[in-house]
Amino acid sequence: GAVVSQHPSRVICKSGTSVKIECRSLDFQATTMFWYRQFPKQSLMLMATSNEGSKATYEQGVEKDKFLINHASLTLSTLTVTSAHPEDSSFYICSARDAQIGVYTDTQYFGPGTRLTVL
Amino acid sequence: GIQVEQSPPDLILQEGANSTLRCNFSDSVNNLQWFHQNPWGQLINLFYIPSGTKQNGRLSATTVATERYSLLYISSSQTTDSGVYFCAATVAGTASKLTFGTGTRLQVTL
């Protein structure tokens, strides 16, 4: 149980284009999902918190107009990197908090990540 | 915000050896998780352990919340244990936001 998927797993795009990454909780409902970014040999940095049916909450320093987040259902959140530039190249990881057990354990389950390369 | 530091940053072990990884955090936490990130980037949940001790096979973890640290023990290490180990913590009142530690990169050799 508690499986989170991401699509695509890897994407290469040209500078100036937009890229959408999907995060799905496959066997549980997630009222809250989180988006992280990880540069090579570094730790994960939280970018934003995505709440179903409401606007995302962005961490300080993260451009909300550049990283658009939509959480339209209890099992799907999307991150769109708009007008991507080479410095946006990174490993993007989502996580989901189980709406049922979260009250008791607050455990987050992580997707496999999406490696974005902007040329 | 909370600071989460891990030690050692790098560790090389021979297969069969035991190791202890440490996670120090600067504030009281209501959630502490340990993860293993495999070479493909997937984060695997190891323990949810805001306090106390848990064991799962060759792995065990202890969190002493009052002293603000957690330990991950790996016994009889195997090459498949290689990767990066992260601890991550949540402070009460921060809407479940996890702050990740600096990580310990483990390499297990034959």
Side-chain angles (χ1 to χ4, degrees), chain B residues 8 10-15 17 19 77 104-109:
Chain B
D10 296 280
L11 187 58
I12 300 175
L13 297 175
Q14 257 195 326
E15 198 171 42
S19 63
S77 58
T104 292
R105 188 172 300 272
L106 173 65
Q107 183 180 351
V108 181
T109 62

Side-chain angles (χ1 to χ4, degrees), chain B residues 44-66:
Chain B
I44 300 162
N45 288 58
L46 298 178
F47 294 101
Y48 169 84
I49 187 165
S51 64
T53 297
K54 290 186 178 178
Q55 179 155 7
N56 184 2
R58 296 182 296 104
L59 302 182
S60 64
T62 295
T63 297
V64 184
T66 53

Side-chain angles (χ1 to χ4, degrees), chain A residues 4 32 34 36 38 40-46 49 57 59 91 93 95 97 104-113 115, chain B residues 6 30-31 33 35 37 39-45 48 50 84 86-87 90 94-103 105:
Chain A
V4 177
T32 305
F34 302 87
Y36 297 82
Q38 185 180 31
K41 297 192 185 299
Q42 293 189 22
S43 188
L44 281 74
M45 296 297 294
L46 179 66
T49 302
T57 305
E59 295 301 298
F91 192 53
I93 309 173
S95 73
R97 183 169 170 260
Y104 307 106
T105 70
D106 206 25
T107 302
Q108 289 184 30
Y109 298 93
F110 284 76
R115 196 165 301 280
Chain B
Q6 292 183 241
N30 62 355
N31 176 10
Q33 291 184 245
F35 299 91
Q37 187 171 38
W40 298 272
Q42 172 75 63
L43 277 165
I44 300 162
N45 288 58
Y48 169 84
V84 184
F86 289 106
C87 64
T90 298
T94 60
S96 303
K97 292 194 288 187
L98 278 173
T99 298
F100 276 76
T102 48
R105 188 172 300 272

Side-chain angles (χ1 to χ4, degrees), chain A residues 19-70:
Chain A
V19 174
K20 180 186 283 189
I21 303 170
E22 292 186 348
C23 176
R24 294 181 187 272
S25 56
L26 298 185
D27 50 3
F28 65 99
Q29 294 184 329
T31 54
T32 305
M33 291 184 172
F34 302 87
W35 287 95
Y36 297 82
R37 183 173 181 175
Q38 185 180 31
F39 291 108
K41 297 192 185 299
Q42 293 189 22
S43 188
L44 281 74
M45 296 297 294
L46 179 66
M47 298 175 65
T49 302
S50 170
N51 295 299
E52 187 265 338
S54 64
K55 289 185 178 181
T57 305
Y58 292 82
E59 295 301 298
Q60 194 170 10
V62 177
E63 299 175 60
K64 59 183 67 176
D65 294 331
K66 181 166 190 60
F67 299 100
L68 301 179
I69 292 172
N70 183 276

